[in-house]
C-alpha cells in the first residue's frame, strides 16, 4: 500500500485575511485537488491573549483537511515539525481507512479493528510516514506585523528541513511569501530537497501591505502542477470552474 506523494501547504501567519477570496473556501478547493492545508498562527512571546485575527486559522486547516496550531514564537520550531508530521499521519490514515472500507466494508475504520489488527495497521501507517514522498510548500505571511517574527520563521523552517531529511522518503520544499508588490505571492525558494539557503533568502525579505490569504493559497496550488491539472490542458483555469 502506498499513498503516493503527500502534498502539503504550510501557512504561517499572525493575522486574518483581509483581501480577496475567502481562504476557507480556497482551502477546501486545495483538499479537493489532493493538497492538504496546514496553518500555524504565530503569536508574539509577550502576547497575553489570542487576537481576533487568528480565529480563522482552525477553520482554514479544517477545510483543507489539515492541522492547525496557534503558538508563541519561542515554540515555533517544534510546532512546525509537529504539525507537518501530524498532517502526514492524518492523510495516510485516511488512505488506509479507504482501503479498509473497500476490503472489509463501508463502515470499517482503523479505530473499529480488533486491538491486534489495529496495531498492525498503525505500524503500516508509521512505515508509510517514513517512506512516502513528501512535498511541502511553505507560504509565509510577510505583512507588516510579521516583520520581527521572520527570523524565528527562518530558523523553524531550517529545523523542519533537517528533521524531515532523517526520513527515508524523498522530501521537496519550496517557500513562497505574500503579499508581493508585483504579484499575489513571491517564490523565494524553488523546489529543493533541503532548505539550506534560508539565511540568504530571509535576510532580503521585506514586510508590509495587506493580507490576501485566500488569493495566496489559490496561487500556491499552481506550484504543485508539475503536470497540467485537469482542465488546464484545454486552456481552462480549473479554479474558474469552481467559481474562484
Amino acid at each position: 500500500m502506498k499513498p503516493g506523494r503527500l502534498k502539503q501547504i504550510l501557512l504561517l501567519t499572525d493575522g486574518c485575511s483581509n483581501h480577496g477570496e475567502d481562504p476557507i473556501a480556497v482551502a477546501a478547493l486545495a483538499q479537493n485537488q489532493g493538497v492538504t492545508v496546514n496553518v500555524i498562527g504565530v503569536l508574539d512571546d509577550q502576547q497575553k491573549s489570542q487576537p481576533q485575527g487568528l480565529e480563522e486559522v482552525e477553520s482554514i486547516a479544517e477545510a483543507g483537511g489539515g492541522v492547525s496550531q496557534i503558538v508563541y514564537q519561542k515554540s515555533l520550531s517544534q510546532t512546525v515539525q509537529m504539525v507537518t508530521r501530524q498532517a502526514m499521519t492524518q492523510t495516510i490514515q485516511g488512505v488506509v481507512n479507504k482501503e479498509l472500507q473497500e476490503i472489509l466494508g463501508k463502515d470499517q475504520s482503523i479505530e473499529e479493528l480488533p486491538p491486534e489488527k489495529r496495531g498492525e495497521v498503525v505500524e503500516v501507517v508509521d512505515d508509510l510516514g517514513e517512506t512516502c514522498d513528501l512535498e511541502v510548500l511553505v507560504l509565509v505571511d510577510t505583512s507588516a506585523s510579521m516583520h520581527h517574527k521572520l527570523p524565528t520563521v527562518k530558523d523553524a523552517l531550517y529545523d523542519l528541513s533537517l528533521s524531515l531529511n532523517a526520513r527515508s522518503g524523498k522530501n521537496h520544499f519550496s517557500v513562497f511569501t505574500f503579499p508581493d508588490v508585483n504579484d499575489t505571492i513571491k517564490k523565494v525558494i524553488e523546489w529543493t530537497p533541503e532548505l539550506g539557503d534560508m539565511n540568504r533568502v530571509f535576510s532580503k525579505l521585506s514586510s508590509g501591505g495587506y493580507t490576501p490569504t485566500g488569493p495566496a493559497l489559490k496561487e500556491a496550488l499552481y506550484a504543485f502542477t508539475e503536470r497540467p491539472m485537469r482542465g488546464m490542458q484545454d486552456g481552462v483555469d480549473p479554479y474558474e470552474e469552481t467559481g474562484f
Side-chain angles (χ1 to χ4, degrees), residues 3-30:
R5 291 183 299 172
L6 299 186
K7 301 178 182 181
Q8 297 186 19
I9 292 175
L10 176 62
L11 170 63
L12 299 170
T13 183
D14 71 346
C16 66
S17 172
N18 55 22
H19 182 80
E21 298 100 328
D22 179 2
I24 297 171
V26 179
L29 172 64

Side-chain angles (χ1 to χ4, degrees), residues 70-235:
I70 293 175
V71 64
Y72 287 100
Q73 281 179 255
K74 61 185 177 182
S75 304
L76 184 60
S77 180
Q78 301 96 307
T79 303
V80 165
Q81 295 176 51
M82 178 199 73
V83 164
T84 303
R85 285 190 172 272
Q86 188 176 338
M88 288 171 59
T89 300
Q90 186 170 290
T91 302
I92 293 169
Q93 283 179 341
V95 173
V96 172
N97 273 332
K98 185 177 179 180
E99 294 278 351
L100 286 174
Q101 289 171 5
E102 290 179 358
I103 296 170
L104 302 176
K106 185 171 74 171
D107 298 325
Q108 190 74 64
S109 67
I110 295 175
E111 293 75 16
E112 296 166 323
L113 291 173
E116 65 277 7
K117 292 296 183 182
R118 192 184 314 141
E120 293 177 13
V121 173
V122 168
E123 286 185 17
V124 171
V125 171
D126 290 342
D127 181 64
L128 287 173
E130 291 301 310
T131 59
C132 68
D133 295 343
L134 176 66
E135 295 178 358
V136 181
L137 184 150
V138 183
L139 187 59
V140 183
D141 173 4
T142 56
S143 54
S145 57
M146 279 288 289
H147 178 72
H148 63 288
K149 300 173 184 175
L150 292 180
T152 307
V153 170
K154 175 202 70 178
D155 293 341
L157 297 182
Y158 181 68
D159 289 345
L160 172 67
S161 175
L162 293 179
S163 170
L164 291 181
N165 278 329
R167 301 169 57 249
S168 58
K170 295 179 181 178
N171 304 308
H172 280 90
F173 308 94
S174 64
V175 181
F176 288 74
T177 61
F178 73 101
D180 180 59
V181 292
N182 298 315
D183 208 343
T184 306
I185 61 176
K186 178 181 180 180
K187 181 192 297 180
V188 294
I189 296 182
E190 182 58 89
W191 288 107
T192 175
E194 297 182 7
L195 291 175
D197 289 336
M198 297 299 294
N199 283 322
R200 178 181 59 81
V201 170
F202 268 68
S203 64
K204 298 178 181 179
L205 291 182
S206 58
S207 306
Y210 48 87
T211 311
T213 308
L217 284 170
K218 176 178 167 182
E219 288 297 317
L221 284 176
Y222 286 107
F224 288 98
T225 57
E226 297 174 350
R227 295 180 298 276
M229 277 186 176
R230 178 179 55 83
M232 290 185 68
Q233 295 95 328
D234 304 319

